[in-house]
Amino acid sequence: MIKPSFINNTLLTKVKLTTTDLEKEILGLGLNIESYGVIDQNTNKLYLIVQDDRECLQKKIREYLLNEPAEEQVEIFWSNLNKYSILCEIKFVLQNLDNIFDEDWDFWIVNNRKKWIIENYHEERLSIFNLN
């Protein structure tokens, strides 16, 4: 397994590297996965879908996360399954969102209390699913 490229020794003290199975995680949340690897949009759990440029998508993610406690734990996954996912706090995500976008084609941010999931698909599509 490889660690995300932006995780240097300083940032490594703020995250935990994990090997959680993303597919099992998504299915365990009651969502389905399309054949091309994204979450099936045909669900009543879809809260928001936006197709726009990176700046807009980052703004939408920030807006959503700012309504959550900064110390709330999340897990971030990237489409490269040979890469560790990371456990971190929302404030870490907000501080490192550019790096999270740059790390790989697609990424997912999963709330550790299983309340929501954010999916960024490389065709400039952002989806947020509320699970409660």
Side-chain angles (χ1 to χ4, degrees), residues 105-120:
W105 288 86
D106 306 324
F107 66 85
W108 296 260
I109 303 171
V110 181
N111 172 267
N112 264 18
R113 292 188 298 142
K114 315 299 183 213
K115 292 176 58 180
W116 49 263
I117 183 170
I118 296 172
E119 174 181 67
N120 184 72

Side-chain angles (χ1 to χ4, degrees), residues 17-29:
L17 302 177
T18 67
T19 58
T20 306
D21 184 312
L22 175 61
E23 183 176 346
K24 285 174 90 174
E25 186 75 15
I26 291 171
L27 295 173
L29 296 172

Side-chain angles (χ1 to χ4, degrees), residues 2-125:
I2 56 176
K3 81 176 178 189
S5 62
F6 71 97
I7 302 292
N8 58 30
N9 287 341
T10 302
L11 292 180
L12 194 55
T13 65
K14 299 176 187 252
V15 303
K16 178 181 177 189
L17 302 177
T18 67
T19 58
T20 306
D21 184 312
L22 175 61
E23 183 176 346
K24 285 174 90 174
E25 186 75 15
I26 291 171
L27 295 173
L29 296 172
L31 299 168
N32 293 314
I33 302 170
E34 297 283 357
S35 60
Y36 54 99
V38 299
I39 299 172
D40 184 355
Q41 307 289 306
N42 295 315
T43 175
N44 63 353
K45 296 176 182 184
L46 182 63
Y47 168 74
L48 175 75
I49 187 165
V50 177
Q51 187 135 13
D52 209 331
D53 63 22
R54 175 179 168 144
E55 184 177 320
C56 175
L57 301 183
Q58 286 183 329
K59 180 181 176 201
K60 293 294 184 186
I61 291 172
R62 281 189 176 91
E63 287 172 358
Y64 189 82
L65 292 179
L66 285 171
N67 290 315
E68 299 293 323
E71 295 77 28
E72 182 93 352
Q73 290 283 311
V74 296
E75 189 164 4
I76 304 171
F77 300 85
W78 289 274
S79 51
N80 181 347
L81 299 179
N82 290 323
K83 190 170 293 199
Y84 285 108
S85 54
I86 60 171
L87 281 172
C88 60
E89 294 180 342
I90 287 176
K91 65 183 172 187
F92 179 89
V93 175
L94 293 170
Q95 294 165 351
N96 293 282
L97 196 52
D98 276 331
N99 292 328
I100 292 166
F101 263 85
D102 290 342
E103 188 63 34
D104 210 343
W105 288 86
D106 306 324
F107 66 85
W108 296 260
I109 303 171
V110 181
N111 172 267
N112 264 18
R113 292 188 298 142
K114 315 299 183 213
K115 292 176 58 180
W116 49 263
I117 183 170
I118 296 172
E119 174 181 67
N120 184 72
Y121 181 55
H122 67 270
E123 292 185 359
E124 298 186 319
R125 185 178 80 198

